Amino acid sequence: MTVGDLGEFGVVNRITTRLPQGAAVMLGPGDDAAVIAAPDGRVAVSTDLLLEGRHFRRDWSSGYDVGRKAAAQNLADVAAMGATPTSLVVGLGLPADLPLTWLDALTDGFADECATVGASVAGGDVTRCDLVVIGVTALGDLAGRAPVLRSGARPGHVVAVAGRLGYAAAGWALLEAGVPADTPLLAEAVAGHRAPSPPYAMGPLAAELGASAMLDVSDGLLQDLGHVAEASGVRVELDPEAFPVGEPVVAAAKELGADPLEWVLAGGEDHALAAAFPADVRLPDGWHVVGRVAEGEGVLVHGREIGRRGWDHFG
Amino acid sequence: MTVGDLGEFGVVNRITTRLPQGAAVMLGPGDDAAVIAAPDGRVAVSTDLLLEGRHFRRDWSSGYDVGRKAAAQNLADVAAMGATPTSLVVGLGLPADLPLTWLDALTDGFADECATVGASVAGGDVTRCDLVVIGVTALGDLAGRAPVLRSGARPGHVVAVAGRLGYAAAGWALLEAGVPADTPLLAEAVAGHRAPSPPYAMGPLAAELGASAMLDVSDGLLQDLGHVAEASGVRVELDPEAFPVGEPVVAAAKELGADPLEWVLAGGEDHALAAAFPADVRLPDGWHVVGRVAEGEGVLVHGREIGRRGWDHFG
């Protein structure tokens, strides 16, 4: 059975029956719009567009992984403001010959990733397209906190990261090289490419602790911290020795003769969180200090300025 | 100059500098997420995906018209809940060879359509794609009113429409037939295909007046009222003589030897509003009674059930 066999309304029905609705959803799928609780009186909102062939490949990632990844990168954007994600809405372009098993897995991936933060897919749109296109918008609640912008880092603050770095890049390199992921560590790196595991709860926690700047690492740590440096009018100095380099990243680098730190510093799509904090903030488990904020501009590693290596979608 | 010449960050910058930010936008483009006022404590949210070749053609519609259309159909969804639109976020897939003049016109179309309701484009995402892909999400504020669902129509209520019907279908038929739009009326029909003019303010007004059900007409009036009939568990009986048929629709039908009522009843994409009201509600200018709600099911025209003619995206 394919998407084309069911038709538009059948597909919508098939998707919505697989989507549990969380407490913040006051009106779920089926009307002109969903209605989501925004108790704070403000709503944080972020959107992304994912394209088959560019952001994922159906021969490399299952529908389930694509759903988790698409949800994760938007939920992470909202968490990076210090907000708690409440819901997603999702626009889907689907080929008529797409197997329903793939669509079901995609739906389940969305639902499961949302469930990790108590959010849910509250609405969407389905249309026919020659390739799979996924437009995701995440909403979140700030619970009375000021949003944590990119522009608040000040000289003397520390720079810290939470979550995985380099996993997605290592997994991608393994897949591209055609290296079989036949050990648990290599498999973990490939799984990290297929779907990230952002440290969502660390976002609101960082805001609570007084983080002065924060973002999620989507294009690569150096490039993304470059945005913080620019928006804040400061220099970011990193100490690579301080980075927690995951064993799967080390194992993949060994397998491919690569430098794991390159993936940690320049690899994107893990959706770790990077933040600046005043130096007197006691950081809880989950946050690792990896550098500091200084007067100046740019991002320095070992005192040397590194180009903003990362991903430019039109480069 | 093309999109590819500028690169991702140049494109984002080019777009955002053309987008004025309205009062509801507490944090606009440039961070991980935007922050939008939601004074009601709830937010109405709707999303759509528009694809080049399927929902618009660059040789038939200008970038400006595509922007207005993409904005309009989502703003109308929010208005159809009785909410006042506050903002959009937009994900764009853009070919590298897309001229910047087209992108600028698209951006201006979004900005101008938003301005008609005091909303603004508060954020987005840009990625490269072989065709133009537009993911639009609209947010709106309910201002203390209950959302007007599709399911509240009851026997004895009247059915009314606000806004244009049949213009988009007539314009599309003219374009498809290659008939030059060389009179003001024909040109108006073609303009109606290129960009709709939804009666946004009629949505919150209808909610205020006690509308029992409402939706925006995106797939065709018969099909969309079929959703109301089904969701409400009622029959909708229409009186075609009661419909206000616009002069441009009449002129296009005459030109093509077509039945204007067919476009009015089955044509989509005008984003008129259709609603049910208790019979004792005095409807203000802008709403036209076109039928009534009865016991039963389906949509009847002249007492005869009409198939749900309309647009099935996988049909």
Side-chain angles (χ1 to χ4, degrees), chain A residues 3-4 6-9 11 26-27 30-51 54-55 76-78 80-81 87 89-96 123-129 131 133-135 137 139 142 147-151 214-216 219 223 227 311-315, chain B residues 3-4 6-9 11 26-27 30-51 54-55 76-78 80-81 87 89-96 123-129 131 133-135 137 139 142 147-151 214-216 219 223 227 311-315:
Chain A
V3 159
L6 271 192
E8 181 183 359
F9 294 105
V11 166
M26 304 175 78
L27 178 68
D31 221 294
D32 290 76
V35 179
I36 310 298
D40 174 83
R42 299 166 297 172
V43 62
V45 55
S46 177
T47 198
D48 274 320
L49 196 60
L50 287 88
L51 308 173
R54 183 154 191 90
H55 300 97
D77 277 326
V78 164
M81 302 303 287
S87 61
V89 290
V90 180
L92 289 178
L94 303 173
D125 179 42
V126 168
T127 192
R128 188 165 165 172
C129 187
L131 70 167
V133 175
I134 306 174
T137 302
L139 305 185
L142 286 158
V148 184
L149 311 188
R150 299 175 173 192
S151 53
M214 184 157 54
L215 45 56
D216 84 304
D219 293 328
Q223 179 168 335
H227 298 319
W311 189 249
D312 181 319
H313 288 291
F314 294 101
Chain B
V3 159
L6 271 193
E8 180 183 0
F9 294 106
V11 166
M26 306 176 76
L27 178 68
D31 221 295
D32 291 76
V35 179
I36 309 298
D40 175 84
R42 301 166 295 173
V43 61
V45 54
S46 177
T47 199
D48 273 320
L49 196 59
L50 287 88
L51 308 173
R54 183 153 191 91
H55 299 98
D77 277 328
V78 163
M81 302 303 286
S87 62
V89 291
V90 180
L92 290 178
L94 303 173
D125 178 42
V126 169
T127 192
R128 189 165 164 171
C129 188
L131 70 167
V133 175
I134 306 175
T137 302
L139 305 185
L142 286 158
V148 184
L149 311 188
R150 298 175 173 193
S151 52
M214 184 158 53
L215 46 56
D216 84 304
D219 293 329
Q223 179 168 333
H227 299 318
W311 190 251
D312 181 317
H313 288 291
F314 295 101

Side-chain angles (χ1 to χ4, degrees), chain A residues 32-124:
Chain A
D32 290 76
V35 179
I36 310 298
D40 174 83
R42 299 166 297 172
V43 62
V45 55
S46 177
T47 198
D48 274 320
L49 196 60
L50 287 88
L51 308 173
E52 180 178 357
R54 183 154 191 90
H55 300 97
F56 61 90
R57 287 173 50 165
R58 274 196 270 158
D59 54 342
W60 283 9
S61 296
S62 67
Y64 184 78
D65 288 333
V66 172
R68 290 200 60 163
K69 186 174 180 170
Q73 70 181 61
N74 276 271
L75 297 169
D77 277 326
V78 164
M81 302 303 287
T84 300
T86 53
S87 61
L88 299 180
V89 290
V90 180
L92 289 178
L94 303 173
D97 64 357
L98 188 76
L100 286 180
T101 50
W102 200 92
L103 178 66
D104 289 345
L106 180 79
T107 307
D108 292 347
F110 267 106
D112 287 357
E113 190 67 26
C114 282
T116 67
V117 279
S120 36
V121 180

Side-chain angles (χ1 to χ4, degrees), chain A residues 91-307:
Chain A
L92 289 178
L94 303 173
D97 64 357
L98 188 76
L100 286 180
T101 50
W102 200 92
L103 178 66
D104 289 345
L106 180 79
T107 307
D108 292 347
F110 267 106
D112 287 357
E113 190 67 26
C114 282
T116 67
V117 279
S120 36
V121 180
D125 179 42
V126 168
T127 192
R128 188 165 165 172
C129 187
D130 291 336
L131 70 167
V132 177
V133 175
I134 306 174
V136 188
T137 302
L139 305 185
D141 189 72
L142 286 158
R145 293 180 294 268
V148 184
L149 311 188
R150 299 175 173 192
S151 53
R154 296 291 171 261
H157 290 186
V158 299
V159 174
V161 296
R164 297 168 163 188
L165 288 166
Y167 282 58
W172 192 86
L174 288 168
L175 287 166
E176 199 189 33
V179 172
D182 52 8
T183 74
L185 286 177
L186 295 182
E188 200 176 334
V190 169
H193 163 73
R194 290 194 171 123
S197 299
Y200 301 116
M202 294 291 141
L205 179 60
E208 205 68 73
L209 291 166
S212 55
M214 184 157 54
L215 45 56
D216 84 304
V217 182
S218 52
D219 293 328
L221 187 66
L222 291 179
Q223 179 168 335
D224 287 323
L225 284 177
H227 298 319
V228 170
E230 192 177 343
S232 298
V234 298
R235 161 175 293 170
V236 170
E237 298 178 352
L238 296 178
D239 175 12
E241 279 76 40
F243 279 89
V245 182
E247 287 182 64
V249 177
V250 173
K254 201 168 167 183
E255 186 72 26
L256 298 174
D259 178 359
L261 205 56
E262 165 100 22
W263 290 330
V264 168
L265 292 176
E269 304 208 340
D270 287 302
H271 303 287
L273 295 175
F277 295 90
D280 59 353
V281 172
R282 269 189 70 174
L283 293 178
D285 282 354
W287 282 98
H288 304 272
V289 174
V290 295
R292 63 185 198 281
V293 181
E295 305 268 357
E297 57 182 292
V299 180
L300 270 66
V301 178
H302 272 162
R304 208 162 61 82
E305 179 147 22
I306 306 292

